[in-house]
Amino acid sequence: MASLPITAWPAEPASVMPIAKPRLVPVEAVAAQTPAAAARLSAIEWSVVALAERDTVASLREPGRIAAALESLFGLHRPNKLANPRLEVLRRVAVFVWRQRWKVPKSELTAFLAEGFTLDQYELIQASIGKQLSSSRQRGGRS
């Protein structure tokens, strides 16, 4: 049977690296550093998101000549575009989120980001609308 030779114990004890003392950080300081805390929408932007609940995806398309003629002939109403381009882009994204959940076209998301919104704000809109939809389903509202 083979064995390994036993070496003598070292004369000096091995050096031990000191461990840094844990630092306590208040929860509020950590929460302030997270990106979700930085994502905010103004009151007017939240009202645009709420108004978008009534619009359909069809309201986002430009009507053709025949559709425009039929609308004027029969007095059909189309939702107006918002005058502010930033708010219109927000409305368009919100309509897609209300109607199609996470299936927002890449072109709409690109326009959303080009208007100065952030992905954190997009996720905030998604979370808010998702909560609203799930609470309305629990109450027996629309699905």
Side-chain angles (χ1 to χ4, degrees), residues 124-138:
L124 180 66
I125 293 166
Q126 286 281 3
S128 175
I129 291 175
K131 252 188 228 179
Q132 179 68 26
L133 291 173
S134 68
S135 69
S136 68
R137 267 189 234 120
Q138 289 173 353

Side-chain angles (χ1 to χ4, degrees), residues 102 112 118-128:
W102 288 98
F112 181 76
T118 64
L119 287 176
D120 291 333
Q121 289 172 318
Y122 172 69
E123 289 175 4
L124 180 66
I125 293 166
Q126 286 281 3
S128 175

Side-chain angles (χ1 to χ4, degrees), residues 34-128:
T34 60
R40 298 202 187 286
L41 293 176
S42 69
I44 188 90
E45 291 168 341
W46 278 120
S47 66
V48 168
V49 171
L51 288 172
E53 181 179 11
R54 290 185 268 167
D55 294 342
T56 63
V57 176
S59 72
L60 303 178
R61 289 187 288 253
E62 289 294 324
R65 290 187 332 199
I66 296 174
L70 289 174
E71 286 174 1
S72 64
L73 181 65
F74 293 109
L76 300 175
H77 173 68
R78 289 181 79 53
N80 292 332
K81 285 185 176 180
L82 299 176
N84 184 327
R86 179 177 164 86
L87 294 179
E88 175 60 20
V89 167
L90 176 63
R91 182 186 78 85
R92 293 177 66 85
V93 166
V95 167
F96 277 111
V97 173
W98 279 111
R99 299 292 172 219
Q100 299 178 350
R101 312 310 185 258
W102 288 98
K103 293 184 253 176
V104 177
K106 187 176 180 180
S107 60
E108 294 295 333
L109 192 54
T110 303
F112 181 76
L113 296 173
E115 282 295 329
F117 290 103
T118 64
L119 287 176
D120 291 333
Q121 289 172 318
Y122 172 69
E123 289 175 4
L124 180 66
I125 293 166
Q126 286 281 3
S128 175

